[in-house]
Amino acid sequence: RRRVCVCVFFLLFLVLTKQQFPRLCTTREALLTKECCPLWEGDGSACGARSGRGSCEDAAVSDQPDGPQYPFSGLDDREKWPLVFYNRTCQCAGNFMGFNCADCKFGYFGENCNERRETLRRNIHHLTRSERNRLVSYLNLAKQTVSRDYVVATGTYREMGNGSSPMFADVSVYDVFVWMHYYVSRNALLGGPGNVWPDVDFGHWAPAFSPWHRVYLLHWEHEIRKLTGDTSFSIPYWDWRDAQGCDVCTDDLMGARSRQDPSLISPGSVFSSWKVLCSQAEVYNTRGVLCDASEEGPIRRNPGNHDQNLVERLPTSAEVEFTLSLPNYDTGAMDRTANMSFRNTLEGFGDPRTGLGSSSRLGMHAALHVFMNGSMSSVQGSANDPIFILHHAFVDSIYEQWLRRHRPAPSQYPESNAPIGHNGDYHMAPFLPLHRNKEYFISSKELGYEYSYLLNANQRFAESMRPFLEEIQDVWPWILLAGLCGGIITIIIAAALLITKRKYKGMLWSSGKSWSNVFSLPERQPLIWGNDTKEANHHNYQTTM
């Protein structure tokens, strides 16, 4: 534990003593040329072309028709992502990835990205004490460290003068992902105060919900590894099936409830000092602007004190099993009205007992957001709460179970007529590097990770025993020392008794007395008490209580 703290302190010092770097593709030149092909430091060429890592290519977008939910064109920067900002980007070769092909594809490691490795995402309650400390330390380090690689947009492309006046802000590594979740789910700005279109979401309410959040978690995990240098780090999950409350809301995990204000996090948790951003959707809509990435107060959370008419309780094992039994990934209009849709039921708009869409009560994924009753209950601002990561890791594991159970053909993912942003070949907004939705309609094992509760029975048992084995490992030197001390003391006492016995035996032999007579004492109490004596000294147990 001490080593982890020292390493985290060193990393924090190392990062903060260097300069802050905005993302290279947000300069005026890059925006006006609409080209995002930064140099790779390894060879000084765009996209690492000299080393065969990638090349600068035209960004090809799908021309398949979208569904009718968004009846506009050319008004939102996320349409046909990333063409509003860039029409040329890095396309990486082989196992290379990244906006300049400097990184490795998910599941690959090493200088040349040729080391295949599978990481394990564990139940947060099965983490060892040192792993729990490391998780909290890494989260806080990410929150306090300004991102070197990314900045966030605070204005639309039109407000930027079509690129001539860049509007971006520096934020922390953690807050880059808070902003991304806000940006993908925000309302469309149609121009002017209050003029927005709410029936649009490029990462929710439609087929890309599961793939988008899968890529989101993979990138978040990747950035934590880059920040800390810990390539073994993996996201834990919170298995909330049948939970009666927020059992991760403790000060050694995600923060307990404050005694002074039940809607805040306990001062005993590092998360009580965190500030949120992009959490005031109604304010932005009223003003007709984007979130400006400024701080907006502390994380709020009040689990269980939510609208009972909207969410009855946390999801049950039976509801998860019913959801997994649905054979069709998505159906009908592929939105919140979809019936017997695995995606819609998992997301929470399909009833987890009947599969019917447009449910009056939210279930599954959405139910937990509402149950947390605070920052998590706002779609656009929910990623401010670190519980978001644990929650979506478990949601992703349910998606993974469905993929393994039903083994869907790639054609099950819709190529056309899904709500805007959700067709198979649509690039996920606002990711750079680019990812297509259908590319993540595959098993997590192909992406280099596994979930501990999906292992076989023997492996699951070994995983559940890890925290206890660590505890034993921590205390066994003390147990051994206590045993040695006890043995030494026993030997000393035995030797002393033996010496004493020999000494007195010689004295008694000369006096003619027996050994037993020396230690016999006169009887002061009768060995068997009379009835009167017993009654006088007896105390009733119940009376004593």
Side-chain angles (χ1 to χ4, degrees), residues 141-379:
L141 179 63
K143 183 70 172 180
Q144 308 304 330
T145 305
V146 173
S147 174
R148 296 179 180 178
D149 292 332
Y150 295 98
V151 291
V152 301
T154 57
T156 65
Y157 191 70
R158 184 174 300 148
E159 290 172 333
M160 296 183 197
N162 295 330
S164 60
S165 301
M167 297 174 63
F168 296 92
D170 289 315
V171 295
S172 72
V173 172
Y174 186 93
D175 286 338
V176 165
F177 290 90
V178 173
W179 176 87
M180 288 176 68
H181 195 263
Y182 150 77
Y183 192 80
V184 76
S185 59
R186 66 174 175 80
N187 296 156
L189 305 178
L190 305 181
N195 190 16
V196 300
W197 184 260
D199 193 19
V200 63
D201 193 312
F202 285 70
H204 301 82
W205 309 343
F209 167 74
S210 298
W212 190 93
H213 285 84
R214 170 161 285 191
V215 173
Y216 178 92
L217 293 179
L218 284 166
H219 271 291
W220 188 88
E221 199 171 53
H222 179 71
E223 289 301 312
I224 293 294
R225 290 171 180 168
K226 286 173 63 177
L227 174 65
T228 63
D230 184 355
T231 59
S232 68
F233 173 77
S234 61
I235 297 171
Y237 62 87
W238 174 24
D239 185 347
W240 34 248
R241 290 174 295 181
D242 306 312
Q244 299 303 304
C246 181
D247 55 19
V248 297
C249 294
T250 60
D251 279 347
D252 66 328
L253 290 175
M254 298 297 106
R257 191 193 305 268
S258 170
R259 294 182 180 179
Q260 287 72 34
D261 185 341
S263 70
L264 296 178
I265 297 175
S266 160
S269 167
V270 67
F271 302 118
S272 64
S273 64
W274 280 26
K275 304 300 180 186
V276 304
L277 67 153
C278 300
S279 65
Q280 300 177 357
E282 292 304 317
V283 174
Y284 316 139
N285 290 343
T286 300
R287 296 171 53 200
V289 298
L290 292 180
C291 156
D292 65 3
S294 61
E295 293 182 348
E296 298 171 342
I299 296 173
R300 296 208 168 264
R301 189 193 297 161
N302 196 355
N305 295 312
H306 59 285
D307 184 352
Q308 302 287 331
N309 294 320
L310 192 59
V311 168
E312 184 178 359
R313 45 167 167 65
L314 290 174
T316 65
S317 297
E319 290 169 342
V320 171
E321 183 54 39
F322 174 84
T323 302
L324 285 167
S325 73
L326 297 171
N328 295 315
Y329 181 70
D330 223 335
T331 61
M334 296 176 281
D335 57 16
R336 286 169 288 182
T337 68
N339 295 321
M340 308 306 291
S341 156
F342 164 74
R343 187 277 313 161
N344 198 36
T345 307
L346 173 63
E347 194 169 355
F349 303 105
D351 191 307
R353 290 160 290 192
T354 66
L356 297 179
S358 302
S359 177
S360 59
R361 282 191 168 182
L362 300 179
M364 298 295 288
H365 152 263
L368 189 130
H369 278 280
V370 174
F371 179 87
M372 298 310 297
N373 193 31
S375 301
M376 276 276 283
S377 60
S378 161
V379 176

Side-chain angles (χ1 to χ4, degrees), residues 517-533:
N517 288 339
V518 173
F519 287 95
S520 63
L521 299 172
E523 185 177 310
R524 298 183 180 179
Q525 300 274 357
L527 295 179
I528 301 178
W529 290 359
N531 291 335
D532 293 339
T533 307

Side-chain angles (χ1 to χ4, degrees), residues 3-225:
R3 285 195 298 268
V4 170
C5 293
V6 170
C7 289
V8 170
F9 174 80
F10 173 75
L11 285 165
L12 183 59
F13 178 81
L14 179 66
V15 171
L16 292 181
T17 53
K18 293 194 175 183
Q19 297 298 316
Q20 303 170 7
F21 296 95
R23 181 154 43 101
L24 297 176
C25 296
T26 57
T27 63
R28 185 174 184 272
E29 180 184 1
L31 292 170
L32 290 176
T33 60
K34 289 200 164 193
E35 185 171 288
C36 182
C37 295
L39 304 182
W40 176 53
E41 293 179 357
D43 64 8
S45 66
C47 313
R50 291 198 194 104
S51 302
R53 297 178 80 95
S55 58
C56 188
E57 305 287 345
D58 291 342
V61 299
S62 172
D63 59 359
Q64 292 295 319
D66 300 314
Q69 294 86 354
Y70 180 76
F72 307 102
S73 178
L75 289 178
D76 194 290
D77 291 347
R78 299 166 294 183
E79 295 176 28
K80 296 186 180 298
W81 182 263
L83 292 191
V84 170
F85 288 99
Y86 312 104
N87 52 32
R88 285 175 65 79
T89 63
C90 286
Q91 292 187 20
C92 304
N95 297 330
F96 300 111
M97 189 185 75
F99 60 81
N100 61 349
C101 301
D103 299 325
C104 300
K105 279 186 176 179
F106 303 123
Y108 289 89
F109 299 82
E111 185 177 348
N112 296 313
C113 299
N114 54 7
E115 298 174 22
R116 178 72 174 171
R117 195 186 311 163
E118 186 176 277
T119 56
L120 188 65
R121 293 183 179 175
R122 295 184 166 95
N123 186 323
I124 191 167
H125 293 299
H126 294 165
L127 298 183
T128 64
R129 189 190 310 115
S130 60
E131 287 169 341
R132 292 195 301 269
N133 292 339
R134 181 176 62 167
L135 171 66
V136 173
S137 297
Y138 285 2
L139 282 166
N140 197 45
L141 179 63
K143 183 70 172 180
Q144 308 304 330
T145 305
V146 173
S147 174
R148 296 179 180 178
D149 292 332
Y150 295 98
V151 291
V152 301
T154 57
T156 65
Y157 191 70
R158 184 174 300 148
E159 290 172 333
M160 296 183 197
N162 295 330
S164 60
S165 301
M167 297 174 63
F168 296 92
D170 289 315
V171 295
S172 72
V173 172
Y174 186 93
D175 286 338
V176 165
F177 290 90
V178 173
W179 176 87
M180 288 176 68
H181 195 263
Y182 150 77
Y183 192 80
V184 76
S185 59
R186 66 174 175 80
N187 296 156
L189 305 178
L190 305 181
N195 190 16
V196 300
W197 184 260
D199 193 19
V200 63
D201 193 312
F202 285 70
H204 301 82
W205 309 343
F209 167 74
S210 298
W212 190 93
H213 285 84
R214 170 161 285 191
V215 173
Y216 178 92
L217 293 179
L218 284 166
H219 271 291
W220 188 88
E221 199 171 53
H222 179 71
E223 289 301 312
I224 293 294
R225 290 171 180 168

